[in-house]
């Protein structure tokens, strides 16, 4: 939008192009196996292993979604104006207002693990006071700050050396009521196939689950991140 004169152009024409991004579903497989002898002796059950395989697929999908978000904010092309280092009320308000403004006023939320968001507690040096009418007060994570909601992300196990997948030093600022930043695609249904014990010389039975899915960061909204 520009000021104009009568019958005179005062600005250059600009064209906005529609852009499509395709999320590619990637094939994922997991195989579990047991032996006839252990099944007959009651030590193992193929159905129990298949159940664990299903949980493994769900966990893998969860990890890929979170990793997509982590890779987004770690990208060198992520705007510097949407990244803040060190939590302070000034940083939080500035970033939240920026994200909210560029998302057409869609209200933002602060999102992070319990360890990350607990660092958003009020600074005692500022002289804040808390009044409680309970005989047994509790220490909890604040659920609202500056009239913006705080959403806790549950940690996810990596499955390796008791590691955790989510960064405990990152608080994300997103307009959760607007378009999702991370999107996932699932192609078709979960395929499964198995063989009978007597199909192999070692009397083993295997079951394989095949699932095609993928995740990507694509959105018309913007988000920010605070490294606390």
């Amino acid at each position: 939008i520009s000021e104009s004169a009568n019958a005179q152009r005062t600005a250059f024409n600009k064209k906005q192009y529609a852009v499509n991004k395709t999320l590619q579903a990637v094939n994922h497989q997991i195989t579990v196996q047991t032996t006839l002898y252990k099944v007959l002796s009651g030590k193992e059950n193929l159905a129990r292993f298949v159940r664990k395989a299903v949980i493994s697929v769900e966990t893998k999908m969860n990890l890929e979604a979170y990793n997509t978000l982590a890779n987004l904010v770690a990208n060198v092309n992520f705007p510097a104006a949407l990244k803040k280092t060190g939590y302070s009320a000034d940083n939080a308000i500035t970033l939240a207002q920026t994200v909210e403004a560029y998302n057409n006023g869609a209200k933002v939320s602060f999102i992070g693990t319990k360890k990350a968001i607990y660092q958003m507690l009020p600074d005692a040096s500022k002289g804040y006071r808390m009044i409680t009418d309970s005989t047994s007060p509790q220490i909890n994570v604040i659920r609202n700050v500056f009239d913006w909601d705080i959403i806790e992300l549950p940690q996810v196990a990596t499955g390796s050396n008791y590691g955790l997948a989510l960064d405990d030093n990152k608080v994300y600022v997103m307009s959760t009521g607007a378009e999702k930043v991370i999107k996932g695609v699932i192609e078709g249904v979960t395929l499964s196939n198995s063989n009978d014990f007597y199909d192999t010389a070692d009397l083993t039975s295997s079951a394989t689950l095949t699932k095609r899915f993928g995740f990507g960061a694509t959105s018309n909204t913007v988000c920010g991140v605070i490294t606390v």
Side-chain angles (χ1 to χ4, degrees):
I1 299 177
S2 62
E3 294 181 355
S4 63
N6 295 328
Q8 182 179 357
R9 187 180 71 180
T10 61
F12 292 103
N13 294 330
K14 296 181 179 180
K15 172 67 177 177
Q16 188 176 56
Y17 296 91
V19 178
N20 293 324
K21 180 177 180 179
T22 301
L23 292 183
Q24 183 66 45
V26 180
N27 201 45
H28 296 73
Q29 289 184 315
I30 182 171
T31 298
V32 291
Q33 186 182 78
T34 187
T35 63
L36 177 62
Y37 177 77
K38 288 186 177 180
V39 170
L40 294 178
S41 63
K43 292 184 177 181
E44 291 183 356
N45 187 309
L46 184 60
R48 185 178 302 168
F49 288 137
V50 171
R51 174 181 173 274
K52 291 184 177 182
V54 172
I55 295 175
S56 296
V57 172
E58 294 175 347
T59 302
K60 179 64 175 177
M61 295 177 71
N62 207 12
L63 284 174
E64 289 198 10
Y66 282 132
N67 287 338
T68 301
L69 176 60
N71 292 335
L72 169 65
V73 298
N75 192 293
V76 294
N77 294 321
F78 194 80
L82 298 178
K83 294 189 291 186
K84 298 293 183 182
T85 301
Y87 174 78
S88 68
D90 184 68
N91 278 347
I93 294 174
T94 299
L95 184 56
Q97 287 187 146
T98 302
V99 173
E100 201 167 79
Y102 279 86
N103 287 340
N104 293 321
K107 192 172 182 178
V108 301
S109 297
F110 294 96
I111 305 172
T113 64
K114 188 183 291 293
K115 185 177 180 180
I117 60 180
Y118 105 93
Q119 299 182 63
M120 299 180 69
L121 288 170
D123 187 351
S125 64
K126 302 294 184 181
Y128 293 107
R129 293 183 178 182
M130 179 179 66
I131 300 175
T132 175
D133 58 359
S134 173
T135 57
S136 55
Q138 301 176 352
I139 299 177
N140 291 311
V141 173
I142 295 177
R143 298 300 176 185
N144 187 283
V145 59
F146 311 120
D147 200 33
W148 289 305
D149 292 335
I150 293 180
I151 301 175
E152 179 187 344
L153 287 178
Q155 266 291 3
V156 179
T158 62
S160 176
N161 296 323
Y162 298 97
L164 298 175
L166 302 183
D167 191 343
D168 283 326
N169 296 313
K170 292 287 192 298
V171 174
Y172 302 98
V173 182
M174 297 181 179
S175 296
T176 54
E179 186 183 11
K180 293 180 175 63
V181 176
I182 306 300
K183 294 182 175 62
V185 58
I186 300 175
E187 181 180 320
V189 298
T190 302
L191 302 177
S192 64
N193 66 284
S194 60
N195 68 287
D196 190 79
F197 292 105
Y198 300 103
D199 291 338
T200 58
D202 58 358
L203 298 179
T204 59
S205 178
S206 302
T208 299
L209 299 182
T210 302
K211 188 80 171 178
R212 294 179 61 84
F213 59 86
F215 293 89
T218 174
S219 176
N220 288 325
T221 63
V222 301
C223 67
V225 61
I226 302 173
T227 301
V228 295

